[in-house]
Amino acid sequence: MAMAFKMATTGMWVTDECKNSFMEMKWKKVHRYIVFKIDEKSRLVNVDKVGGPGESYDDLAASLPTDDCRYAVFDFDFVTVDNCRKSKIFFIAWSPAASRIRAKMLYATSKDGLRRVLDGISYEVQATDPTEMGIDVIKDKAN
């Protein structure tokens, strides 16, 4: 039976799949990004989509719905001014203007609980439209 981690403040549960997929991304580098979705009926946070190591930030941005909220994590690889290869994991709280008020509230109140389960996030970006989470925003935060 699958385990889930309860987020006490909201009554939401994070599935094992969420944590396991995140650990695979963090340690094994088998995913470039993971998109998470809350199932309002079951009150579970589930993996909605996983991007393979060859996928890009644009692929992640294109996979987010224009009318519903999601969480996402993105493994950003970059080279520092000292020519060192680095990797930082970004947490993205996606809450587009066209999404329902109830969904926006649910995602806003559940975010910290999910972040606590996903250990190793370097930066957080909150976005209501694609310009607020452009690759330039990610690059600026990483440097």
Side-chain angles (χ1 to χ4, degrees):
M1 183 173 142
M3 292 280 298
F5 301 89
K6 186 164 185 174
M7 296 189 283
T9 54
T10 61
M12 284 291 147
W13 294 80
V14 179
T15 62
D16 261 359
E17 182 189 15
C18 294
K19 188 166 187 171
N20 294 342
S21 295
F22 180 76
M23 291 310 214
E24 287 174 351
M25 182 180 87
K26 181 179 169 183
W27 298 114
K28 297 179 184 172
K29 303 290 187 188
V30 294
H31 312 306
R32 174 64 58 202
Y33 64 84
I34 306 165
V35 179
F36 302 100
K37 178 181 182 179
I38 295 176
D39 181 322
E40 292 183 32
K41 288 187 181 70
S42 67
R43 303 192 65 76
L44 288 174
V45 180
N46 294 298
V47 172
D48 188 39
K49 183 177 189 327
V50 175
E55 292 196 50
S56 69
Y57 189 73
D58 289 339
D59 296 321
L60 164 62
S63 75
L64 297 173
T66 57
D67 61 351
D68 200 6
C69 302
R70 293 290 187 276
Y71 303 119
V73 287
F74 179 74
D75 190 3
F76 179 62
D77 294 327
F78 61 101
V79 178
T80 67
V81 289
D82 308 339
N83 215 22
C84 294
R85 295 185 63 79
K86 295 255 181 161
S87 176
K88 297 284 182 192
I89 296 176
F90 281 77
F91 181 91
I92 299 163
W94 173 246
S95 185
S99 54
R100 299 178 351 267
I101 297 289
R102 178 175 165 81
K104 289 180 189 176
M105 289 174 52
L106 185 61
Y107 276 78
T109 56
S110 302
K111 179 185 68 163
D112 290 340
L114 177 61
R115 280 212 47 187
R116 274 194 294 278
V117 172
L118 307 179
D119 185 40
I121 292 169
S122 302
Y123 302 102
E124 180 176 321
V125 175
Q126 295 190 35
T128 58
D129 72 69
T131 62
E132 294 176 349
M133 57 171 275
I135 191 65
D136 52 326
V137 173
I138 299 297
K139 287 177 179 173
D140 287 348
K141 284 188 179 268
N143 288 328

